[in-house]
Amino acid sequence: MKRNILITGGAGFIGSHVVRLFVRKYPEYRIVNLDALTYAGNLANLRDIESEPNYIFERGDICDTDAVREIFRKYDIDGVIHLAAESHVDRSIKEPFAFARTNIMGTLTLLQAAREAWNGAWEGKLFYHISTDEVYGALGSEDTPFTEATGYDPHSPYSASKASSDHFVRAFHDTYGLPTIITNCSNNYGPYQFPEKLIPLVINNIRHRKPLPIYGKGENVRDWLYVEEHARAIDLIFHKGKVADTYNIGGGNEWRNIDLVRVIIGVADRLLGNPDGYSEELITFVTDRAGHDLRYAIDSSKLEQELGWKTEVQFEEGIEKTVRWYLDNEEWLDGVTSGDYMKYYDEMYDKR
């Protein structure tokens, strides 16, 4: 194989799109997917490529030092794309220690394993760490978007854990010379997202005529990036990015939560054959999240100017494709919301 790439969290939402892209685009690469298969990991996300000869799945915890070292040894790993993370802010408020364990100690475990395995032979090696725009804190309504020079100011246990992991990645480059790259992305949306997140939650609740919960008055603003665009950016940065550098990846689509929900309602009602505005009555305002950041927005101009990346999927197209995918894949959505998707893991391991 030309490359042996370890992708962590590859059974999750963003990770599954990255795994699929690399497996199909680079048949000469061996892609090793390491995932602990917690609630957000779903092997059904990868059924279409699970039998490809250049794809390998390993179930494991990134905090398990011995298991991670063995994967580096067994597959002669020369590149890491690190996506595995706890990522839901509400969960981090309830379970901050779980986020510290996975996001900080898991990243540290991977960094140390890479340093030991490569042992100063850095040529052709790369540790690529995927982070979030939330490490930058919050923006006011008139503030300019986050750039790579924006100072860190995390406000939730989730963003604090990701900020810490970012610092460890940079420290391993500065201290040991480990070749690293970090990217910070805006909110992703698209197929295979776990339905605790806003967009799939709203789509699923519209299907079942359930309330559409919106924090506060729905005035919080997020920048939305179609997940396949993010995967394409990761591919470009992995191959062309500058070692020890940071790149921001944004969708250039800022939406207030209430406006976004109304757009989804419009698309879903049309596709379901409902009258215009039929599901508006389901909107329900709920008590705001603790420490809820007002606005995130990403400036991707560095990535665009230095590596030539630009968004190709406009928001209207992306949201149409997303809503349509969830409505066309009710079996997947029902399997996830019911918990039945976990049975697929057992079936997979019975075959091994």
Side-chain angles (χ1 to χ4, degrees):
M1 289 294 179
K2 185 177 179 181
R3 297 293 302 267
N4 296 303
I5 300 172
L6 173 64
I7 299 179
T8 69
F13 168 44
I14 300 173
S16 62
H17 286 275
V18 176
V19 167
R20 180 178 294 102
L21 174 62
F22 272 70
V23 166
R24 287 179 170 168
K25 185 175 180 179
Y26 302 105
E28 72 277 20
Y29 290 6
R30 176 162 57 186
I31 304 302
V32 180
N33 173 12
L34 173 62
D35 199 297
L37 297 183
T38 60
Y39 78 95
N42 188 349
L43 289 178
N45 296 352
L46 294 165
R47 282 179 174 170
D48 55 330
I49 58 97
E50 65 187 12
S51 298
E52 294 296 326
N54 64 329
Y55 171 68
I56 296 169
F57 174 71
E58 289 279 356
R59 186 173 188 174
D61 184 348
I62 59 171
C63 294
D64 185 336
T65 301
D66 291 339
V68 171
R69 282 173 174 160
E70 174 60 17
I71 285 172
F72 271 83
R73 185 203 64 76
K74 181 178 179 181
Y75 298 110
D76 193 23
I77 298 298
D78 54 55
V80 176
I81 300 176
H82 176 35
L83 288 136
E86 296 283 353
S87 64
H88 195 246
V89 175
D90 286 349
R91 287 179 183 265
S92 80
I93 293 170
K94 296 177 182 177
E95 304 175 52
F97 281 91
F99 281 68
R101 180 185 182 276
T102 298
N103 297 352
I104 302 173
M105 296 307 298
T107 300
L108 182 56
T109 300
L110 288 162
L111 287 165
Q112 181 68 3
R115 183 173 79 89
E116 293 173 353
W118 301 338
N119 193 28
W122 308 132
E123 186 68 28
K125 310 296 196 304
L126 181 65
F127 190 104
Y128 179 176
H129 175 65
I130 284 79
S131 189
T132 172
D133 57 0
E134 296 191 39
V135 299
Y136 297 126
L139 292 170
S141 58
E142 302 300 322
D143 292 340
T144 57
F146 301 128
T147 71
E148 290 81 359
T150 301
Y152 277 24
D153 186 22
H155 294 159
S156 71
Y158 163 58
S159 56
S161 68
K162 290 297 291 185
S164 179
S165 67
D166 293 3
H167 290 319
F168 269 109
V169 172
R170 292 191 177 97
F172 264 66
H173 173 267
D174 294 347
T175 303
Y176 306 112
L178 189 77
T180 63
I181 287 178
I182 297 174
T183 54
N184 300 84
C185 69
S186 57
N187 280 31
N188 281 224
Y189 72 101
Y192 298 109
Q193 187 170 29
F194 195 81
E196 69 183 355
K197 298 298 181 77
L198 178 62
I199 290 178
L201 174 67
V202 167
I203 297 168
N204 193 44
N205 284 11
I206 289 172
R207 286 177 59 218
H208 295 290
R209 301 294 298 165
K210 291 182 177 180
L212 310 180
I214 301 177
Y215 283 124
K217 298 179 181 179
E219 295 177 344
N220 300 79
V221 176
R222 297 294 180 263
D223 175 24
W224 292 93
L225 172 66
Y226 190 60
V227 65
E228 291 180 3
E229 299 268 76
H230 189 191
R232 188 169 55 83
I234 289 171
D235 175 25
L236 177 64
I237 293 164
F238 181 82
H239 290 97
K240 302 293 185 181
K242 181 182 176 182
V243 169
D245 216 341
T246 299
Y247 300 90
N248 281 349
I249 310 171
N253 295 298
E254 290 188 57
W255 288 84
R256 293 193 310 162
N257 286 344
I258 183 62
D259 297 328
L260 173 66
V261 169
R262 286 178 174 141
V263 169
I264 297 169
I265 288 172
V267 176
D269 278 345
R270 172 168 52 80
L271 294 176
L272 289 168
N274 295 330
D276 187 36
Y278 178 69
S279 298
E280 290 269 349
E281 65 182 21
L282 300 176
I283 292 175
T284 305
F285 295 100
V286 299
T287 302
D288 205 357
R289 168 192 287 161
H292 199 177
D293 292 335
L294 175 64
R295 173 177 169 243
Y296 304 142
I298 280 278
D299 181 346
S300 302
S301 57
K302 176 180 175 180
L303 178 59
E304 295 167 1
Q305 293 166 10
E306 294 189 6
L307 299 184
W309 180 86
K310 63 179 180 180
T311 56
E312 296 178 354
V313 178
Q314 299 303 310
F315 182 76
E316 292 75 14
E317 177 190 356
I319 203 68
E320 174 89 15
K321 290 169 67 174
T322 298
V323 175
R324 188 179 296 276
W325 186 88
Y326 285 103
L327 296 180
D328 288 346
N329 288 272
E330 293 184 351
E331 182 180 357
W332 181 93
L333 192 52
D334 290 341
V336 172
T337 54
S338 68
D340 287 347
Y341 72 107
M342 299 295 289
K343 297 176 182 177
Y344 186 61
Y345 306 160
D346 298 330
E347 293 173 6
M348 285 291 294
Y349 281 93
D350 285 345
K351 296 176 184 177
R352 295 179 66 170

